[in-house]
Amino acid sequence: MSELEGVLAVYKPAGFTSHDVVAKTRRMLGMKRIGHAGTLDPQVTGVLPLCLGRATRIVEYIQELPKEYIATLRLGMSSDTEDLTGTVTETADDIRVTEEEVKRTLDSFRGVISQTPPMYSAVKVGGKRLYELAREGKTVERKSREVEIYEIEMLEMVWNGKFPDITFRVLCSKGTYIRTLCVDIGRALSLPGVMVKLERTMSAGIRADRCLSLEEIAERKADGSLPEFLIPADEAIYHLPVHKVADEKKTAALQGQRLAARFVAPEVLVDGPIRLYDLQGGFLGIYKREDTGSIAPVKVFAQG
């Protein structure tokens, strides 16, 4: 039996690291070539795309795509980890905030914003991950980074005792820390804030309703139907432009040779990666236009 190939959308349960999900899937499927596209913290649930077999070569491309989350922020409380897994560091009394104030504040976060990575994160500073330093009781200076909030909307506001819990949906760029976004929203309302719940509802264009649970993966593996649930590698990078190569240059393309621009249609005008197909619709791989105008291979997918 040939190795499975494609993107398997998993719904990650709470209590598992992304690495745990990969390791468990490797054991279930009996294969080593599996990689995930976008880490989720252990307590976070939701869409975790796994790339199987040769599809591991497209991880970097699908990681770049926007992600959607549904988050719950509690106003009036903060913690050292920016979520409820940490130690509470501050609480506020007599909180007075309206739904309209919250909605206006959320709206103000649309667009490009600057974030400082939390101490409890996997960002490396001086060769050590921030969470390792945080566990040693150290706090170090972190460089802020720009991320983009494409969409943000309030879904619900309910009072949990004296604290208002704000549930909101956000569509954002790669690298956005939702925990930090929660803290920053609270700060904009002059209140401490902490993330109490997070679900990733979309990643790499894949929504939660297309995902399989770990139990369902085991069932599909047992009954032989798992291949039907795999997204082909080229479909998973749907955001890359499609081009075709002339029949006489198909073999050259598969051998990793550069192609003269006249053999590729339509004309390649973008500088970024493209998907290249033969005239019959067979996926040949990811290619890119060079400064000379030639079309060069980046990742060739030889057809079996």
Side-chain angles (χ1 to χ4, degrees), residues 145-187:
R145 55 171 66 173
E146 286 192 339
V147 296
E148 187 163 1
I149 306 298
Y150 305 111
E151 299 173 13
I152 187 167
E153 62 173 337
M154 189 172 84
L155 301 178
E156 186 180 48
M157 176 173 167
V158 296
W159 287 82
N160 189 332
K162 67 177 184 177
F163 301 116
D165 281 356
I166 313 299
T167 298
F168 63 93
R169 180 188 70 85
V170 59
L171 181 69
C172 56
S173 66
K174 171 193 174 186
T176 304
Y177 285 99
I178 307 300
R179 283 178 289 153
T180 302
L181 179 62
C182 288
V183 170
D184 291 342
I185 291 167
R187 189 174 291 125

Side-chain angles (χ1 to χ4, degrees), residues 103-118:
K103 286 177 181 176
R104 281 198 302 271
T105 301
L106 290 177
D107 286 344
S108 73
F109 279 83
R110 282 199 188 93
V112 176
I113 64 171
S114 180
Q115 283 194 328
T116 300

Side-chain angles (χ1 to χ4, degrees), residues 68-128:
E68 182 188 76
Y69 298 89
I70 291 179
T72 300
L73 149 69
R74 181 163 296 161
L75 293 172
M77 179 187 294
S78 63
S79 82
D80 57 356
T81 59
E82 302 184 348
D83 61 21
L84 289 187
T85 65
T87 302
V88 174
T89 55
E90 184 184 0
T91 58
D93 295 313
D94 193 26
I95 299 165
R96 299 186 185 187
V97 65
T98 67
E99 288 193 18
E100 283 308 312
E101 287 175 316
V102 173
K103 286 177 181 176
R104 281 198 302 271
T105 301
L106 290 177
D107 286 344
S108 73
F109 279 83
R110 282 199 188 93
V112 176
I113 64 171
S114 180
Q115 283 194 328
T116 300
M119 277 303 300
Y120 282 88
S121 66
V123 173
K124 279 190 174 181
V125 173
K128 290 195 84 169

Side-chain angles (χ1 to χ4, degrees), residues 5-21:
E5 181 178 309
V7 176
L8 175 61
V10 180
Y11 192 90
K12 190 188 88 64
F16 282 74
T17 66
S18 298
H19 179 75
D20 290 338
V21 173

